[in-house]
């Protein structure tokens, strides 16, 4: 399914840019089949692709949000969604987030995302990944995929067998490997910038940090925090992930039901999104929210304002978790250099401070401030090029 505005070749209106995206701040309603085009129009998506293969059990959705800056790029996640409507809602929000993330990171790529519906621990296999790769290939480079939740470099290797439009393949195959360490480093930079604003120093020694999610990004983040002497707490719904973290890092395990009541200085959501909502925000005792999860605000307008009113500094997720996409972007460009990637990821620190200062100066949320920076770049570049 495709939608394109004929009167605006950039895909993003110039004078209407900020207004359109501010209208999108409200939480996307649950998407019913007859509302798919309406939901795409509301968030200004270009294309939504449904992929099905009965023999492998594949059920996937690819969303291309905006290609003003270049071909859409964003990871594929596999999740056991409660419904197809929930999966559609997630992929629409995630792909829109990738547009903002790629823009604010200064990358020449647009926003896209893919979700595979199913239990990754029980259903994922080589055949399914390769079949998904063939669907990606049919898009002819409009969408490039990469690793996300419940996916691995091995999965990217399988997908690579069927299409060239995949990044994050193993280093042994000439790729950049797992992007998680770079994603975590960017989150760490954003966390330190936020601490600089709140505490007057970016030293995290003895700061109490609650890391929610012991996946790849959360684990690498814990490693950075341990080295600086932070007091790290961790929580996850999977015991095997916690066991791996406990064996290699210094952490205190917190029950998932007690995360939001924890005595913490910094809350770092590194699992799935929407953990900042009506129920959880009033419980928070922290001064900073800075984590690697996407779409952390359940309702971007309402909950961004609620954090602001409670005096909690929120480091926008699509800004500080952009290290991973930066890593695979340079792989896609064919000039991958780890030192260059890490140097660019360090710039998240400066941009995060710029966003916080901009939000204070204009009395808006940090989420809105980050959106304005991202959309300004898309609008400017849209004047000199057409969508991919």
């Amino acid at each position: 399914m495709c939608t394109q505005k004929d009167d605006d070749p950039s895909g993003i209106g110039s004078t209407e840019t900020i207004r359109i995206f501010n209208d999108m701040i409200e939480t996307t309603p649950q998407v019913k089949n007859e509302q798919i085009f309406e939901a795409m129009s509301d968030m200004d998506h270009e294309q939504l692709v449904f992929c099905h293969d009965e023999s492998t059990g594949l059920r996937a959705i690819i969303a291309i949000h905006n290609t003003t800056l270049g071909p859409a790029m964003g990871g594929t996640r596999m999740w056991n969604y409660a419904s197809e409507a929930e999966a559609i809602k997630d992929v629409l929000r995630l792909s829109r987030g990738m547009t903002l993330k790629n823009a604010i990171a200064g990358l020449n790529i647009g926003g896209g995302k893919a979700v595979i519906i199913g239990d990754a621990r029980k259903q994922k296999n080589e055949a399914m990944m390769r079949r998904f790769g063939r669907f990606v290939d049919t898009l002819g480079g409009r969408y490039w995929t990469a690793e996300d939740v419940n996916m691995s470099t091995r999965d990217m290797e399988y997908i690579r067998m069927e299409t060239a439009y995949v990044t994050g393949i193993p280093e042994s195959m000439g790729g950049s490997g797992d992007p998680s360490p770079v994603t975590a480093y960017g989150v760490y930079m954003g966390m330190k910038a936020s601490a600089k604003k709140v505490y007057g120093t970016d030293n995290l020694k003895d700061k109490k940090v609650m890391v929610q999610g012991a996946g790849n990004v959360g684990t690498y983040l814990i490693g950075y925090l341990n080295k600086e002497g932070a007091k790290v707490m961790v929580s996850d719904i999977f015991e095997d992930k916690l066991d791996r973290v406990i064996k290699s890092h210094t952490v205190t395990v917190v029950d998932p039901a007690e995360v939001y009541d924890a005595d913490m200085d910094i809350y770092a959501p590194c699992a799935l999104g929407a953990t900042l909502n009506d129920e959880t925000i009033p419980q928070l005792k922290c001064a900073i929210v800075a984590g690697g999860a996407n779409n952390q605000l359940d309702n971007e307008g309402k909950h961004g304002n609620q954090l602001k009113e409670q005096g909690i500094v929120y480091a926008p997720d699509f800004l500080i978790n952009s290290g991973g996409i930066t890593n695979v972007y340079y792989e896609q460009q064919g000039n991958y250099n780890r030192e260059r990637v890490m140097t660019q990821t360090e710039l998240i620190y400066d941009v995060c401070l710029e966003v916080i200062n901009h939000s204070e100066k204009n009395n808006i949320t940090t989420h809105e401030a980050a959106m304005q920076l991202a959309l300004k770049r898309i609008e400017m570049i849209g004047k000199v090029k057409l969508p991919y």
Side-chain angles (χ1 to χ4, degrees):
M1 298 182 179
C2 309
T3 59
Q4 180 96 21
K5 292 185 176 180
D6 295 333
D7 59 346
D8 181 12
S10 73
I12 294 287
S14 55
T15 58
E16 292 289 283
T17 299
I18 302 301
R19 184 195 65 77
I20 290 172
F21 272 77
N22 281 341
D23 288 345
M24 294 177 198
I25 285 176
E26 298 304 317
T27 298
T28 309
Q30 194 76 340
V31 181
K32 297 179 181 179
N33 290 338
E34 64 271 19
Q35 298 174 332
I36 292 175
F37 275 112
E38 181 181 342
M40 290 176 68
S41 178
D42 286 345
M43 288 190 280
D44 216 27
H45 278 74
E46 295 178 10
Q47 190 171 8
L48 195 63
V49 181
F50 293 85
C51 313
H52 174 258
D53 181 68
E54 187 172 353
S55 63
T56 61
L58 176 70
R59 292 187 299 157
I61 308 170
I62 301 170
I64 296 175
H65 178 256
N66 183 279
T67 56
T68 300
L69 298 179
M73 183 183 287
T76 295
R77 67 174 47 183
M78 186 167 183
W79 193 255
N80 201 17
Y81 293 99
S83 66
E84 294 172 8
E86 184 180 287
I88 295 171
K89 174 182 176 180
D90 199 31
V91 78
L92 289 175
R93 293 192 71 191
L94 288 167
S95 55
R96 185 196 66 174
M98 290 306 303
T99 293
L100 299 172
K101 182 184 301 188
N102 296 337
I104 203 167
L107 308 178
N108 294 317
I109 46 177
K113 204 79 175 183
V115 298
I116 297 175
I117 302 172
D119 187 335
R121 295 190 170 211
K122 297 178 181 179
Q123 296 173 261
K124 188 174 67 169
N125 55 44
E126 177 185 351
M128 177 183 285
M129 294 300 99
R130 293 182 65 170
R131 190 67 183 92
F132 175 70
R134 298 195 69 176
F135 278 112
V136 170
D137 198 63
T138 64
L139 293 172
R142 273 181 55 77
Y143 169 69
W144 287 68
T145 195
E147 182 181 339
D148 198 62
V149 175
N150 287 328
M151 301 290 277
S152 67
T153 53
R154 182 61 170 165
D155 297 321
M156 298 305 107
E157 184 176 347
Y158 289 141
I159 292 171
R160 182 66 177 78
M161 294 176 183
E162 304 298 334
T163 183
Y165 307 119
V166 57
T167 56
I169 60 176
E171 294 179 69
S172 61
M173 296 178 62
S176 61
D178 181 7
S180 300
V182 190
T183 303
Y185 187 64
V187 173
Y188 176 59
M189 288 292 102
M191 189 180 291
K192 286 177 72 67
S194 302
K196 176 70 174 177
K197 191 67 181 179
V198 172
Y199 303 114
T201 175
D202 62 12
N203 192 335
L204 299 177
K205 188 177 186 301
D206 294 328
K207 290 292 183 288
K208 293 171 285 187
V209 184
M210 176 72 248
V211 178
Q212 183 185 38
N216 291 341
V217 173
T219 299
Y220 283 111
L221 176 61
I222 290 170
Y224 291 123
L225 294 171
N226 271 177
K227 288 180 181 178
E228 192 161 343
K231 297 179 179 178
V232 183
M233 297 168 279
V234 65
S235 179
D236 201 288
I237 60 175
F238 297 113
E239 290 295 330
D240 58 333
K241 291 184 178 181
L242 288 174
D243 289 341
R244 286 195 296 269
V245 172
I246 293 169
K247 290 177 181 177
S248 56
H249 298 83
T250 303
V251 296
T252 300
V253 175
V254 174
D255 186 276
E258 299 174 359
V259 166
Y260 307 105
D261 284 321
D263 180 17
M264 55 183 161
D265 299 306
I266 301 170
Y267 167 48
C270 293
L272 295 181
T275 61
L276 296 167
N277 51 55
D278 288 341
E279 181 180 348
T280 61
I281 293 176
Q283 300 178 57
L284 294 177
K285 302 177 180 66
C286 60
I288 296 168
V289 173
N294 289 307
N295 297 325
Q296 294 169 22
L297 300 169
D298 185 32
N299 180 308
E300 295 169 4
K302 177 181 180 181
H303 297 127
N305 277 304
Q306 194 170 347
L307 289 172
K308 181 173 176 287
E309 290 167 2
Q310 288 187 202
I312 297 174
V313 171
Y314 170 63
D317 48 32
F318 65 85
L319 164 59
I320 69 170
N321 69 13
S322 62
I325 193 67
T326 299
N327 189 68
V328 297
Y329 168 74
Y330 282 107
E331 176 187 339
Q332 184 249 9
Q333 293 290 297
N335 57 355
Y336 184 77
N337 180 288
R338 187 57 171 257
E339 183 177 354
R340 180 182 183 183
V341 168
M342 296 304 283
T343 297
Q344 180 159 339
T345 302
E346 285 182 3
L347 296 177
I348 289 174
Y349 182 104
D350 297 324
V351 178
C352 190
L353 281 177
E354 180 183 355
V355 164
I356 296 171
N357 290 333
H358 182 64
S359 71
E360 291 180 345
K361 179 180 178 180
N362 294 278
N363 194 29
I364 58 177
T365 68
T366 53
H367 184 85
E368 289 177 279
M371 283 177 60
Q372 288 183 2
L373 289 180
L375 295 170
K376 182 179 180 180
R377 179 168 182 259
I378 294 172
E379 184 176 353
M380 290 190 301
I381 302 303
K383 294 176 180 178
V384 299
K385 62 184 293 189
L386 296 176
Y388 184 80

